[in-house]
Structures are given as C-alpha cells and as structure tokens.
C-alpha cells in the first residue's frame, strides 16, 4: 500500500500503520487507506486479527479540521468506524500520544484498545463549538457510563490512559516502549474470542442525578455556549433506552445544528486565528533567533512577580531586581506562595517548586542584570521612570541583550530613543495576573530588529503565552479599543443609564463583567491624580470619597464582606449631581443603545487599528480580546462578531449616534466585505 497508510504482516496479525504527520489527522487519504487495510486483512484467511497503530508522536489526534464545512469524501469517519466494528476479525487500537476527537472515536470503534501509560484520550470537539460526531457521544456512555461521558464530551478535557483503563475505555496498558509488540500479543490473545465486544451493541444505564449535578456544577463554565448542552443531550439520548441507530441519528442532527451555527464558526475561527497570530508578516520563518539563557525582571510587584513565574516555570533562570529589600522579600515571598498553592492542589510536585525558586536570583544590585539576555522592565507606568530605567539599562546590558518594557499604553519608540540600541528594544505587554493570563502583546517599535521580534514571539510560545504583534500607538491593540468603551459607558451614565444596567448588558452579551464592575475590581483609583479637591468627573468624585472599588468595600457599587455588589444610592447621587451641573436631561437608555455605543465603537477603533497597520490582521485583534479581556469565545472576538452582526448594521448604528466611521469599516460595509 502507498500513501499515509501502510500494512505489515506479523504472522497471523496484520498491523495497519498511519504515518500522516504532524498529528495523524484523519483526512480523506487516511480514511481511505484504513478502509483498504481492513479489507486486506479481512480478505486474507491466514490473518486472525488486526492492529491499527500510528507512526510519529501520536495516535490519531482528531479529524482534519481543514475539511470542516466541505463535502466529506467517502468513507466518512462514521462509515469507517462502522466498517471497523463490522469486522469479523478482532481489531485492536494501539494508542500512544493522544487519541483525540475522531481519533478517540476510531479507537472506540475497534473491538479492543491498548495504550501506553503516557497516552491521553479525549473528545475536545466542544472547544470548537461541536460534539464528537462519529458516534462518540453514543459509544462513550455505553462503554464507561454517563458521568465520564459527560466529562469527556461536554467539558472536552482528555483523561489519562490509567483513568481510561479504570473506567473501561481501554482494555490493557502496554509497556511505555513496547506498544507494537504488546499490541500484537494482545491481538493474538483475543484472536479466537467470539462474539467480539462491540461498543454500539452495549447499553448505557440512565443516570439523571449525575446529569443534574453535572449541569449545576458547570453552569458558570457553560454560560452562553450552545455546544455543552448539545453534548449533554446526546449522552442522555445514549442512556434513555433509545437504540444505537436512534442515538446516532440524534447525534448527527445535533452535530449539524452546531456545525452550521455561528458559535462553532466563531470557535473554529479562533482556533486558526491563534495559530496565525504567531506568524510575523515580512520576516522569514527560519530567521536566526537570539539565545535567551537568563531573563532579568525589574520590579518585584504583582506584575514583575507574575512575569518572573512564566520564565521560571519554563525552566529559564530569572534575575529579579528591586530598590528596597522589603519589596524584594515581599515579591519573592508571593512567588513562592503562588507555587506552593499550585503544589497544594496537586498541579506541581514539591521538588518542582524548589526547582523554580532555585532558578530565581533576587537582588538589589541593578548591575546584576548585565548577565541577562532579555531584560523586562515592569515598574510604575510613567514615561519619566521608564526612560530613567532604560538609560541605566543601556549602560549595563550586554551587547545583543533584548530590552523590553511591560508598558500598557506608553510610546515604546520614545523609550527606545533614550538608548544607543533602539533595534534591541520592544514592548512586552503582559496581562495581570501575568502568571495566569495567556495574552502577550509584543510591541514592535519603529527600529525593532527582525530577529528581536522573532525571538520574543518564539519565547512567548515557550512560556505558554498567546502572542500578538502590535504597533506603537497609545494603548496598542487591547487598551486602545477599551478606551472608547469606557468613554461611552461614562457618557451613558450622564445621560440616564445606571452602572448596573450597562454592566448587565455586557454580562448578557457574554463578558465576564461590565465596565463598572471591571473598574471596581481593578481599582477606581488606578491612574487617579490623587488630589481630592480636584473633581472633574464621576470617577474623581468616587476616588475623593475613598470609593476605590472592591478593595475599600465601595466603588461604583457597595460591597458586603463577601464582595457581593449592590447598587449604591450614593453613586446615584453623585451621577445626578454631575448630570445637573452639565444641564443634561435624564432619559431612558435602551440596551440596544448601550451595545451600539460601547461595542460598535470598539469595532470602529479596531478598523482604525487595521487602517494604521497597528495590527497585522483582524483575527489578531480577536485573539487579543478573547485572551486578554474576556470577550466571549463563542462570539469569536470583536471583528469576527462585527462580521456576523453585519458591517452595514454596525455602520448604521455608529452613524445614528454621530460617530465618525473608519474608512476601512465603511468600505467593507459598502462592498459587503468582511474583516475575517
């Protein structure tokens, strides 16, 4: 046989092998090859059993996502799995790496499954807004019961081979280095077994209590998403006494509904957008990168500590610098506490904690940064302080060291200009808490060298960040788009909306919190001028009265001891005072107007960012907002959402309220174009 599938005969066992790098995706050629391999084994009377295995680093890690939305070439995956099940000779799946999605379903269609201990098995389709559509929702409950089926399908997280063995999804563990030999031996052991165990012929016991508990426990996680509910419904169908054929028909119907829906399109868009964001336009993919053996971090506060943890966790030694011993001790103490909290939850071993802390070098001596290959400044957000630090860095950093600022708004070119090496300077805007949040905006200065940018983008992957290239402008991509939302939300307060109405509209849209809840969480006093006699707006008035948000128990809302918010009569008074001073009449504000003024303006700002080439592509903007600001995943990011809303509708909404529409947005609307 040729193509990605080959066969090997081991006496009376035929081994069917897939070699379709990088992840043995189940594309048309693989499915056709598997079908031919099975036919070969069935046609040969001397073959008593068959093994399906994969070369490379993994078993089938899923369907070929590039085929989604296109006509499926035969045999489709459901048909192929039926062919496997129908074999009158035992078929054994030999699993290493990950058996995910269609790979897991293929394994479940085999009569027996053997896996190495390090293997993982799962159905992550829900993360693309889908369900395992080749019988996964019907076979898993029949083999392992309803609770494990709910976990695998509706949450989409894989389980270990050991757990899969315990629950009945695999039949035997192989030696870590002897999978092929062990699978062939297993095939011989079962060669004479009749009737063959077939997942689709088993029955699943109903478990309404498990379903109810699962829904309740995951209500917050699933809020707004369609796919988890469809997965749950399919698992229930598998266990309600329906035949397998009825269950498969129901699964297919639910799969098609999701596949044709906006949410899955949004989630698939994000899947590709995240991968696209790593690519830098105009720079060769094979450019030589600078070696980063040690990272320096200036500032041991919340941000500096979180940034340090990213590198320590990835095995990169860190030198962390502070001005005062007390601040240094406090910062390193918080890092240790965070690691120990992870260890207490079983996410890290105690020796990993000590290994990470052992790679941290705390110091008060700025000159210690001379040994670092990358130095990240994470201090107070003022230009004077940052220029002072970069002037000092320029004097002590070794030639070729990359100098980065964690600024969230300031001009990186202005910072770079105080050095004699602007080509080595860029922005690395981490999001707080930096050891948790996945987004990293990498800000490319006017003189940033190509290899510097490429090195930092590659390093981002190493520290498990989703990195996006941004240009130099006030607020870069994310914070620049946040500004119109905050400005318009504050204007709406003056015109008659309440903080709770505006926040409710944003939460209903799918945001984790609204603008005023966010302000209270971050701190109303952030960026405040600290003069209680200078009251120019509502925020100044709140800050002057000590209403600094959750940390003081009162901000735009009043908070109880558990930080539960309630509308504040005092805030209503302050808003009314400002409204009177401005001679504004209070009026009814509709939810639709809130969306138009706070979210349509973000889209408009996104269009300006693209016009000015401050972002490489619209999908990069979507990645920023999904990973940095909690934009609902099922809406695909602001630019994708604008496409689904209709750009003509967005333009009309902006014009209705007198906003100047970005030329790019206007031209795309007029030509029925899209951002993505």
């Amino acid at each position: 046989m040729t193509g990605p599938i080959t066969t090997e005969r081991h006496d009376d066992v035929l081994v069917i092998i897939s070699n379709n790098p990088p992840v043995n995706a189940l594309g048309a050629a693989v499915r056709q090859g598997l079908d031919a391999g099975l036919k070969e084994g069935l046609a040969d009377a001397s073959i008593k059993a068959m093994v399906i295995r994969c070369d490379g680093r993994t078993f089938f890690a899923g369907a070929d996502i590039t085929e989604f939305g296109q006509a499926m070439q035969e045999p489709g995956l459901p048909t192929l799995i039926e062919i496997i099940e129908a074999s009158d000779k035992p078929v054994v799946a030999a699993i290493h790496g990950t058996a995910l999605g269609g790979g897991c379903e293929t394994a479940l269609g085999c009569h027996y499954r053997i896996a190495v201990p390090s293997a993982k098995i799962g159905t992550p389709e829900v993360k693309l807004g889908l369900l395992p559509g080749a019988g996964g929702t019907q076979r898993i409950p029949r083999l392992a019961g309803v609770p494990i089926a709910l976990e695998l399908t509706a949450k989409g997280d894989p389980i270990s081979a050991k757990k899969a063995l315990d629950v009945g999804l695999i039949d035997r563990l192989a030696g870590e280095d002897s999978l092929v030999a062990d699978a062939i031996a297993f095939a011989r052991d079962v060669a004479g077994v009749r009737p063959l165990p077939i997942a689709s012929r088993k029955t699943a016991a109903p478990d309404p209590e498990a379903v109810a508990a699962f829904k309740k426990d995951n209500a917050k996680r699933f809020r707004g998403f369609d796919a988890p509910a469809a997965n749950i419904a399919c698992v229930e169908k598998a266990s309600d006494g329906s035949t397998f054929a009825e269950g498969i028909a129901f699964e297919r119907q639910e799969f098609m509904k999701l596949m044709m829906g906006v949410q899955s399109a949004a989630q698939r868009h994000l899947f590709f957008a995240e991968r696209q964001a790593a690519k830098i336009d105009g720079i060769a993919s094979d450019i030589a990168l600078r070696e980063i053996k040690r990272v320096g971090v200036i500032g041991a506060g919340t941000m500096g500590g979180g940034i340090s943890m990213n590198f320590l966790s990835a095995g990169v030694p860190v030198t962390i610098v502070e001005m005062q011993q007390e601040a240094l001790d406090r910062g390193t103490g918080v890092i240790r506490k965070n690691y120990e909290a992870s260890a207490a939850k079983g996410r890290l071993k105690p020796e990993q904690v000590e290994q990470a802390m052992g790679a941290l070098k705390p110091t008060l001596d700025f000159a210690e940064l001379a040994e670092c290959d990358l130095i990240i400044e994470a201090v107070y957000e003022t230009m004077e302080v940052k220029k002072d630090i970069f002037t000092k860095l320029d004097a002590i950093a070794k030639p070729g060291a990359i100098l980065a600022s964690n600024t969230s708004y300031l001009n990186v070119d202005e910072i770079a200009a105080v050095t004699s090496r602007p080509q080595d300077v860029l922005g690395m805007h981490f999001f707080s808490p930096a050891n948790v949040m996945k987004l990293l905006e990498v800000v490319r200065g006017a003189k940033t060298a190509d290899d510097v940018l490429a090195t930092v983008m590659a390093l981002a992957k190493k520290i498990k960040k989703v990195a996006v290239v941004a240009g130099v402008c006030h607020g870069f991509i994310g914070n620049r788009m946040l500004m119109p939302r905050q400005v318009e939300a504050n204007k709406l307060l003056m015109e008659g909306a309440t903080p709770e109405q505006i926040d409710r509209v944003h939460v209903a849209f799918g945001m984790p919190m609204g603008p005023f809840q966010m302000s209270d969480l971050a701190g109303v006093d952030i960026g405040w001028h600290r003069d209680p006699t200078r009251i120019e707006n509502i925020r100044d008035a709140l800050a002057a009265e000590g209403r600094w948000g959750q940390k003081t128990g009162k901000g735009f809302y009043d908070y109880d001891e558990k930080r539960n918010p309630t509308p504040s009569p005092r805030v209503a008074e302050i808003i009314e005072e400002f409204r009177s001073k401005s001679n504004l009449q209070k009026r009814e504000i509709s939810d639709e107007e809130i969306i138009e003024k706070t979210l349509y303006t973000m889209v408009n700002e996104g269009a300006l960012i693209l016009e000015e080439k401050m972002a490489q592509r619209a999908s990069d903007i979507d990645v920023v907002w999904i990973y940095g600001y909690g934009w609902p995943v099922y809406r695909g990011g602001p630019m994708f959402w604008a496409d689904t809303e209709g750009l003509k509708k967005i333009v009309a909404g902006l014009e209705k309220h007198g906003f100047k529409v970005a030329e790019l947005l206007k031209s795309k609307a007029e030509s029925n174009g899209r951002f993505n």
Side-chain angles (χ1 to χ4, degrees), residues 389-422:
I389 281 175
F390 273 78
T391 303
K392 288 178 183 166
L393 275 181
D394 191 35
I396 63 142
K398 66 186 180 184
I402 298 173
L403 311 181
S405 174
N406 178 52
T407 179
S408 46
Y409 285 98
L410 300 176
N411 188 313
V412 171
D413 289 335
E414 201 178 320
I415 293 169
V418 302
T419 74
S420 61
R421 45 172 118 183

Side-chain angles (χ1 to χ4, degrees), residues 299-534:
T302 305
M303 186 56 85
I307 291 169
S308 299
M309 286 182 72
N310 289 309
F311 292 100
L312 295 170
S313 300
V316 180
V318 172
T319 300
I320 190 165
V321 180
E322 256 296 352
M323 293 176 72
Q324 306 291 335
Q325 187 66 47
E326 186 191 354
L328 190 63
D329 292 344
R330 186 170 55 245
T332 53
V334 169
I335 292 172
R336 175 172 280 282
K337 194 171 147 195
N338 286 342
Y339 275 129
E340 286 175 346
S342 292
K345 290 173 187 163
R347 291 180 193 149
L348 288 176
K349 295 183 175 130
E351 57 267 30
Q352 288 175 297
V353 174
E354 295 313 317
Q355 198 176 348
M357 292 307 296
L360 180 65
K361 183 178 181 182
T363 181
L364 299 175
D365 185 1
F366 205 80
E368 294 266 15
L369 295 170
E371 64 182 345
C372 299
D373 306 293
L374 163 67
I375 304 167
I376 304 167
E377 159 278 307
V379 302
Y380 199 60
E381 185 78 348
T382 65
M383 184 58 85
E384 292 71 28
V385 173
K386 292 189 188 286
K387 280 182 172 179
D388 179 52
I389 281 175
F390 273 78
T391 303
K392 288 178 183 166
L393 275 181
D394 191 35
I396 63 142
K398 66 186 180 184
I402 298 173
L403 311 181
S405 174
N406 178 52
T407 179
S408 46
Y409 285 98
L410 300 176
N411 188 313
V412 171
D413 289 335
E414 201 178 320
I415 293 169
V418 302
T419 74
S420 61
R421 45 172 118 183
Q423 73 279 2
D424 295 336
V425 179
L426 45 55
M428 287 178 74
H429 178 208
F430 288 84
F431 286 69
S432 190
N435 53 308
V436 176
M437 295 292 281
K438 284 184 77 171
L439 181 67
L440 176 64
E441 279 184 316
V442 180
V443 187
R444 181 183 203 167
K447 295 183 177 174
T448 303
D450 287 355
D451 66 332
V452 167
L453 185 64
T455 298
V456 169
M457 289 295 283
L459 193 59
K461 199 171 182 183
K462 184 174 181 177
I463 61 170
K464 298 185 175 163
K465 296 294 177 202
V466 177
V468 171
V469 177
V472 176
C473 57
H474 187 64
F476 315 127
I477 297 171
N479 283 339
R480 176 172 166 178
M481 287 173 68
L482 187 65
M483 282 184 273
R485 186 183 91 163
Q486 302 304 102
V487 166
E488 293 308 318
N490 281 295
K491 282 186 191 170
L492 285 162
L493 284 188
M494 296 284 283
E495 293 174 32
T498 61
E500 49 273 20
Q501 182 196 2
I502 294 168
D503 286 344
R504 174 182 55 74
V505 168
H506 282 84
V507 171
F509 180 81
M511 297 290 199
M513 62 186 74
F516 301 106
Q517 292 165 320
M518 187 183 83
S519 189
D520 276 1
L521 179 66
V524 177
D525 61 318
I526 285 184
W528 180 46
H529 48 65
R530 306 278 154 185
D531 180 356
T533 64
R534 187 177 133 206

Side-chain angles (χ1 to χ4, degrees), residues 32-363:
Q32 289 158 5
L34 288 171
D35 182 28
L38 289 160
K39 285 189 169 91
E40 180 188 330
L42 289 170
D44 187 335
S46 65
I47 294 295
K48 304 299 182 209
M50 291 176 271
V51 171
I52 295 176
R53 72 166 185 86
C54 295
D55 277 341
R57 56 193 172 94
T58 185
F59 191 72
F60 305 111
D64 186 344
I65 197 169
T66 60
E67 293 184 344
F68 283 15
Q70 298 177 19
M72 184 69 73
Q73 287 187 51
E74 286 301 324
L77 192 57
T79 305
L80 177 67
I81 292 167
E82 285 170 12
I83 291 167
I84 295 170
E85 273 196 336
S87 166
D88 59 5
K89 297 176 182 181
V91 181
V92 177
I95 301 166
H96 75 295
T98 50
L100 298 179
C104 176
E105 291 175 296
T106 301
L108 299 181
C110 295
H111 306 110
Y112 299 96
R113 288 155 293 283
I114 184 170
V116 296
S118 62
K120 284 189 161 49
I121 293 172
T123 50
E125 284 88 344
V126 70
K127 295 176 183 181
L128 293 177
L130 295 168
L131 53 79
T137 68
Q138 302 306 298
R139 288 186 178 89
I140 296 172
R142 284 172 164 82
L143 287 167
V146 166
I148 200 76
L150 293 170
E151 288 286 331
L152 281 170
T153 62
K155 281 168 85 172
D157 298 326
I159 59 172
S160 67
K162 171 73 173 67
K163 184 164 185 185
L165 178 70
D166 292 343
V167 299
L169 285 179
I170 66 169
D171 305 289
R172 197 179 282 190
L173 287 178
E176 195 64 59
D177 301 313
S178 56
L179 177 61
V180 178
D182 292 350
I184 292 166
F186 187 18
R188 288 206 179 98
D189 289 348
V190 297
V193 174
R194 298 294 183 276
L196 290 169
I198 294 171
S200 62
R201 293 187 191 163
K202 296 179 184 290
T203 56
D207 196 340
E209 292 82 10
V211 173
F214 182 78
K215 285 180 179 175
K216 186 181 171 196
D217 291 347
N218 292 286
K220 188 177 175 188
R221 176 177 179 154
F222 294 160
R223 179 176 74 90
F225 286 91
D226 293 338
N231 276 278
I232 293 167
C234 287
V235 169
E236 287 185 288
K237 186 73 176 172
S239 57
D240 69 1
S242 297
T243 65
F244 183 76
E246 288 166 341
I248 283 287
F250 184 76
E251 179 190 84
R252 174 58 24 186
Q253 173 190 311
E254 292 299 304
F255 180 86
M256 292 313 295
K257 268 196 261 178
L258 293 173
M259 182 58 131
M260 305 312 290
V262 171
Q263 288 201 0
S264 179
Q267 289 176 257
R268 283 179 278 136
H269 160 71
L270 185 64
F271 178 87
F272 288 113
E274 186 182 327
R275 282 145 189 80
Q276 193 68 19
K279 295 173 183 165
I280 313 167
D281 290 347
I283 297 181
S285 58
D286 61 351
I287 188 171
L289 304 181
R290 298 193 186 183
E291 198 172 18
I292 308 294
K293 289 182 177 172
R294 176 173 283 274
V295 171
V297 176
I298 304 168
T302 305
M303 186 56 85
I307 291 169
S308 299
M309 286 182 72
N310 289 309
F311 292 100
L312 295 170
S313 300
V316 180
V318 172
T319 300
I320 190 165
V321 180
E322 256 296 352
M323 293 176 72
Q324 306 291 335
Q325 187 66 47
E326 186 191 354
L328 190 63
D329 292 344
R330 186 170 55 245
T332 53
V334 169
I335 292 172
R336 175 172 280 282
K337 194 171 147 195
N338 286 342
Y339 275 129
E340 286 175 346
S342 292
K345 290 173 187 163
R347 291 180 193 149
L348 288 176
K349 295 183 175 130
E351 57 267 30
Q352 288 175 297
V353 174
E354 295 313 317
Q355 198 176 348
M357 292 307 296
L360 180 65
K361 183 178 181 182
T363 181

Side-chain angles (χ1 to χ4, degrees), residues 611-633:
E611 266 180 34
E612 296 165 22
K613 299 194 169 15
M614 294 294 120
Q616 296 189 104
R617 48 192 85 89
S619 60
D620 284 5
I621 294 174
D622 292 335
V623 168
V624 166
W625 269 83
I626 293 279
Y627 285 116
Y629 298 84
W631 186 278
V633 170

